[in-house]
């Protein structure tokens, strides 16, 4: 028997559940015949290490039909995500507002990878401080500033220099922290 | 000078900011050459008072391109909404999951009617108990059950029999309560 309601975890989509950076790298490497890897990014965003005149291509990829729908799962995420759902009340929280055209594809992505995930627990929002949850796992520290629960920073190249929040390097770390 | 951060109000879209029922009635009356008004609904949903074999038409309307984009504003809402934004931190919270195809149109609707409303304060979700706000104005009492703040029921025909929550009959009532 559990005591009281289950704790709530809100989990970000891009760079946490979904390997969005891998998708950007694949598109970029294909177009420009390069072989940039995540390791090459060090603590930078992809946009920061490519020639300035190519940066607009990243936005073009994100606005192209099929981009968000075909993002691969983050390695290790499905099993731990399923275990979290057994023990916690899990929300998927994604800041879709930067590319509003991604709403439908992100919804389809969730339904394809987690067919039994309830619509009621999907949240599209711009500022995740509006989410009422005990924990938030996210790669963007800006969401933690006004968040009422405990934020956990999911490691991505762009956030490697961030030191203010407890960090989860990968989904094995998520399991160790929460399960 | 204000003391501390502004209070947060989350405001529902369908049947609160947007007169979605008026849009359904217009579509239905046009197709079937009827003149059903909101008053005719008494405390019922439109689906409950029309012939059973026509109910699927309502879902058809909602799934038709342009339906959500062209919903009229709820009478009295724009002025009070603007005043609320001066005094509170306002979120628009809409349960788009029943018709996921409505994401883009709802977003376009907000941008058309409130061009300076920040993306960061738009929330698409299924269960509004996930919203961290002091107040929630909504026509669906189901969202209040686990909501952490104070819910206010915005009157719609379908909720006229509900007695558990403080009620706002219209936008003049919203002004009286909050301003």
């Amino acid at each position: 028997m559990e005591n009281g309601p289950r704790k709530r975890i809100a989990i970000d989509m891009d760079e946490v559940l979904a390997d969005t950076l891998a998708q950007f790298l694949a598109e970029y490497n294909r177009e420009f015949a390069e072989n940039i890897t995540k390791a090459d990014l060090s603590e930078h965003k992809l946009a920061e290490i490519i020639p300035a005149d190519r940066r607009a291509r990243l936005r073009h990829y994100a606005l192209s039909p099929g981009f968000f729908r075909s993002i691969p799962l983050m390695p290790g995420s499905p099993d731990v995500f399923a275990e979290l759902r057994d023990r916690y009340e899990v929300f998927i929280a994604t800041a879709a507002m930067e590319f509003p055209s991604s709403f439908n594809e992100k919804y389809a992505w969730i339904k394809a990878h987690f067919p039994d995930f309830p619509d009621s627990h999907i949240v599209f929002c711009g500022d995740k401080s509006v989410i009422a949850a005990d924990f938030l796992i996210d790669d963007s520290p800006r969401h933690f500033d006004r968040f009422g629960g405990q934020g956990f920073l999911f490691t991505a190249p762009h956030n490697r220099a961030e030191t203010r929040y407890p960090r989860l390097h990968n989904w094995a770390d998520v399991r160790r922290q929460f399960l």
Side-chain angles (χ1 to χ4, degrees), chain A:
Chain A
M1 289 252 318
E2 297 199 357
N3 293 313
R6 289 182 300 170
K7 295 271 191 182
R8 285 183 170 185
I9 304 184
I11 301 177
D12 177 35
M13 202 162 150
D14 292 309
E15 308 295 324
V16 178
L17 264 183
D19 197 349
T20 311
L21 176 56
Q23 183 86 336
F24 276 110
L25 286 171
E27 294 282 339
Y28 183 86
N29 286 333
R30 183 165 52 202
E31 178 170 358
F32 296 104
E34 297 218 22
N35 280 297
I36 302 173
T37 66
K38 290 185 184 179
D40 295 326
L41 296 179
S42 180
E43 64 186 52
H44 298 287
K45 296 188 176 185
L46 178 55
E48 296 166 358
I49 68 154
I50 61 177
D53 62 354
R54 293 181 180 177
R55 277 180 204 145
R57 296 303 294 163
L58 303 182
R59 188 167 177 83
H60 171 80
Y61 303 150
L63 292 171
S64 300
F67 180 87
F68 284 99
R69 175 64 189 80
S70 54
I71 293 175
L73 283 160
M74 187 66 80
S77 64
D79 290 349
V80 181
F81 186 73
E83 292 171 41
L84 287 176
R85 289 181 60 194
D86 286 339
R87 185 117 33 121
Y88 297 86
E89 182 180 7
V90 173
F91 286 82
I92 296 175
T94 180
M97 302 309 163
E98 192 180 348
F99 302 104
S101 57
S102 68
F103 286 144
N104 294 333
E105 293 200 19
K106 288 188 167 205
Y107 181 79
W109 187 95
I110 294 168
K111 289 286 147 181
H113 290 289
F114 309 108
D116 64 340
F117 194 82
D119 284 357
S120 59
H121 284 56
I122 299 170
V123 185
F124 292 97
C125 60
D127 174 355
K128 294 181 191 170
S129 77
V130 76
I131 294 176
D134 300 288
F135 310 106
L136 169 61
I137 304 174
D138 207 294
D139 69 302
S140 294
R142 71 183 170 89
H143 293 298
F144 300 147
D145 288 347
R146 301 195 304 156
F147 176 62
Q150 173 66 58
F152 287 88
L153 191 66
F154 196 91
T155 296
H158 70 82
N159 68 31
R160 286 218 171 99
E162 174 63 58
T163 58
R164 291 173 294 167
Y165 307 100
R167 181 181 287 277
L168 303 168
H169 285 96
N170 48 47
W171 278 89
D173 260 6
V174 176
R175 175 182 271 132
R176 273 187 290 271
Q177 178 67 42
F178 290 102
L179 295 166

